Amino acid sequence: MILFDRVTKVYPNQQVALSGLNLHIQPKEFVTIVGSSGAGKSTLIKLMTREESHTSGKIIVGGLDYDTITPRDVPLVRRRIGVVFQDFKLLPNRRVGENVAFALEVSGARGREIKRAVPKMLQLVGLSSKEQAFPNELSGGERQRVAIARALIRQPKILIADEPTGNLDPKNAWEIIELLLKINRFGTTVLLTTHNKEIVNALKRRVITINRGRIIKDEEQGRYTLEGGK
Ligand code: ADP
């Protein structure tokens, strides 16, 4: 469960990025977050992953109260939340399998465990045949699949996909969305941010619209109602 109770974030330059934001997301939900540039989406994500800390209010994620966690708890937070980005952020000099394994290596997993887990994860994202490829030998859609496999290898309860289709053509974008839906069916909470109007409207899932650091709309089977959008 993700709970934000009157959360405000003021950056050191006095910029108010979130203002008394209330948010409640149940386990296994699939939620899309939309908002114009500067609305506060990235800040919301950075507070969840503890890349930034909030100024006031309460944040509880998976039973962890962010007011009481110490720097030593941050790796625990990160293990519960996988994140994928628009620009994939793969290691260019490592093969696909190594990119995925790396996330387990840094958490101290044993070699045997890694050898077992990586092929399973590549199979889930449909990339079994690409284990030995380098990222620059893959299409954008395939790179995003690698990033998703890497984010999931530690079995997080929550997957945040921050504009995952922003660099993809419509066909690849849809394949990534289908994959996120599959992952959600397997029981992972998925938080998606996107500017893609077609995707939001076709998903018919919960849509939260943020504007100037506040939630202005929160609807089951919501629609994309911002100006612009692709
Ligand atoms: P979005 O992801 O929806 O584009 P952001 O969360 O990045 O929105 O930004 C929300 C507001 O906070 C904007 O006004 C932005 O300029 C400001 N902001 C974001 N990051 C910082 C930062 N590190 N320092 C100061 N202001 C920031």
Side-chain angles (χ1 to χ4, degrees):
M1 184 201 61
I2 299 169
L3 181 74
F4 276 57
D5 183 22
R6 285 168 288 169
V7 171
T8 292
K9 171 64 182 176
V10 185
Y11 282 107
N13 65 354
Q14 302 305 314
Q15 176 70 47
V16 180
L18 294 181
S19 177
L21 185 132
N22 294 309
L23 176 64
H24 193 177
I25 296 175
Q26 297 288 354
K28 304 182 183 183
E29 274 198 82
F30 188 113
V31 180
T32 307
I33 297 172
V34 303
S36 329
S37 177
K41 305 178 297 295
S42 307
T43 300
L44 180 64
I45 290 171
K46 285 178 184 162
L47 292 185
M48 285 181 195
T49 58
R50 201 59 174 181
E51 218 176 299
E52 292 282 350
S53 38
H54 55 300
T55 309
S56 63
K58 201 149 208 56
I59 301 178
I60 299 175
V61 178
L64 275 183
D65 181 338
Y66 282 25
D67 283 328
T68 59
I69 59 176
T70 65
R72 283 220 278 163
D73 298 321
V74 172
L76 183 66
V77 170
R78 304 260 163 88
R79 208 163 301 156
R80 290 172 178 210
I81 305 179
V83 188
V84 298
F85 305 93
Q86 177 168 353
D87 60 357
F88 322 128
K89 298 197 196 300
L90 300 178
L91 300 169
N93 301 322
R94 304 243 185 164
R95 295 174 194 276
V96 164
E98 292 167 338
N99 262 279
V100 177
F102 190 64
L104 272 184
E105 281 164 22
V106 296
S107 69
R110 285 178 307 168
R112 204 148 42 109
E113 189 188 331
I114 296 173
K115 270 213 174 98
R116 216 178 21 226
V118 170
K120 265 195 197 164
M121 212 33 88
L122 288 176
Q123 190 181 8
L124 175 81
V125 302
L127 281 184
S128 294
S129 63
K130 302 284 183 181
E131 186 168 349
Q132 299 302 322
F134 285 98
N136 67 4
E137 296 168 335
L138 303 179
S139 71
E142 288 170 337
R143 285 180 211 186
Q144 192 58 289
R145 287 170 186 276
V146 179
I148 291 172
R150 182 182 55 183
L152 290 178
I153 191 101
R154 293 196 289 183
Q155 299 179 304
K157 294 265 185 288
I158 301 166
L159 178 66
I160 296 177
D162 189 5
E163 281 280 352
T165 62
N167 282 336
L168 304 180
D169 61 34
K171 179 173 174 286
N172 277 301
W174 269 112
E175 286 176 8
I176 292 300
I177 297 296
E178 298 284 354
L179 178 57
L180 294 177
L181 287 167
K182 177 165 105 176
I183 289 161
N184 177 245
R185 280 197 298 276
F186 287 160
T188 306
T189 307
V190 175
L191 257 69
L192 166 72
T193 77
T194 182
H195 289 290
N196 191 314
K197 192 173 177 172
E198 264 179 42
I199 287 176
V200 174
N201 291 343
L203 272 172
K204 298 195 171 61
R205 296 296 185 111
R206 182 176 174 191
V207 178
I208 293 173
T209 308
I210 301 185
N211 187 34
R212 297 185 184 193
R214 293 172 194 271
I215 292 179
I216 56 165
K217 213 181 281 176
D218 182 349
E219 296 178 321
E220 295 302 325
Q221 301 200 11
R223 293 186 64 80
Y224 191 97
T225 52
L226 297 169
E227 291 296 311
K230 280 189 259 177

